Amino acid sequence: MRCAPSSRVQGHPGAVIEFDPEPIREGAATHHFICAMPGGIRIEFATPFA
């Protein structure tokens, strides 16, 4: 199940989610995901998702 931020990114043409949000480390409140944008740029988003 995708959270709202990754779902919004997936809606952009050419964007690819490399992996769904997951904890940065075991037990962490902060989650992250990485996506690839058109042109090969990779972006990591990290935030305490609700």
Side-chain angles (χ1 to χ4, degrees):
M1 177 178 202
R2 293 221 159 118
C3 70
S6 64
S7 295
R8 291 180 64 187
V9 170
Q10 186 66 44
H12 288 274
V16 176
I17 304 296
E18 292 187 15
F19 60 86
D20 286 328
E22 60 185 28
I24 287 182
R25 64 180 176 281
E26 189 174 330
T30 301
H31 288 64
H32 70 141
F33 69 94
I34 293 180
C35 62
M37 305 306 284
I41 298 171
R42 294 176 72 228
I43 303 170
E44 178 181 21
F45 291 94
T47 186
F49 296 115

